Amino acid sequence: MQIYEIGYLVLPSIAENELTGVVGKIREIIVKEGGVELDGEVPFKHNLAYTMSKTVGASRYVVTEAYLGWLKFELDSSKINNVKAGLDKVPELLRFIIVKAPRKTAFTFAKARAKMTEKEEEQAPAPEETVVN
């Protein structure tokens, strides 16, 4: 068994209350192949570094933001191509990447955002004291 992680972008046209359905489709594909989910984060809306496009049927989407999420799972390495083929068929996915990963999760977006907020607070100038005569 191998540990994998999927990083994915969901089209921003999907309503937030429908994101659980999209994540559910990803989970179904993994479970169907005998995979076991180990970790993950709920997708959140994020500005993209560059414009991306995707054609779904007769519609072409050009986007500058997307929902960003990830899932870590364990799966027999002979089944990973089936997972990739299944994910290719999910129309709500803008992009995804599958990588081999360690079992322990060292990085999460939640931890990164907390650290960035902490640094911003440290670097913020101290409020000036006003002297009243």
Side-chain angles (χ1 to χ4, degrees), residues 1-131:
M1 298 289 265
Q2 176 67 50
I3 308 295
Y4 294 97
E5 189 172 307
I6 299 174
Y8 57 88
L9 296 172
V10 177
L11 290 168
S13 57
I14 304 303
E16 278 193 49
N17 61 349
E18 294 176 12
L19 281 175
T20 55
V22 176
V23 175
K25 287 180 184 180
I26 296 169
R27 288 182 172 132
E28 284 177 26
I29 292 166
I30 293 167
V31 170
K32 179 182 170 200
E33 295 302 325
V36 177
E37 184 179 343
L38 301 174
D39 203 356
E41 280 187 292
V42 176
F44 62 94
K45 199 169 257 190
H46 186 70
N47 290 327
L48 301 173
Y50 53 89
T51 303
M52 294 181 154
S53 65
K54 180 174 182 168
T55 303
V56 178
S59 300
R60 183 165 185 258
Y61 298 92
V62 178
V63 298
T64 58
E65 62 182 7
Y67 293 100
L68 173 63
W70 62 274
L71 284 172
K72 185 181 286 191
F73 60 99
E74 188 173 31
L75 179 73
D76 184 325
S77 58
S78 65
K79 307 276 181 123
I80 196 63
N81 286 332
N82 297 343
V83 170
K84 182 190 177 309
L87 293 172
D88 283 334
K89 295 176 184 172
V90 178
E92 297 91 348
L93 290 180
L94 177 62
R95 298 280 191 282
F96 68 89
I97 185 169
I98 303 173
V99 296
K100 290 180 181 179
R103 182 170 293 278
K104 182 180 178 200
T105 301
F107 173 87
T108 66
F109 293 118
K111 287 180 187 176
R113 283 193 297 259
K115 191 72 168 173
M116 286 175 57
T117 302
E118 183 182 303
K119 279 190 174 188
E120 288 172 358
E121 289 173 357
E122 287 175 3
Q123 294 175 353
E128 292 184 25
E129 292 183 26
T130 55
V131 178

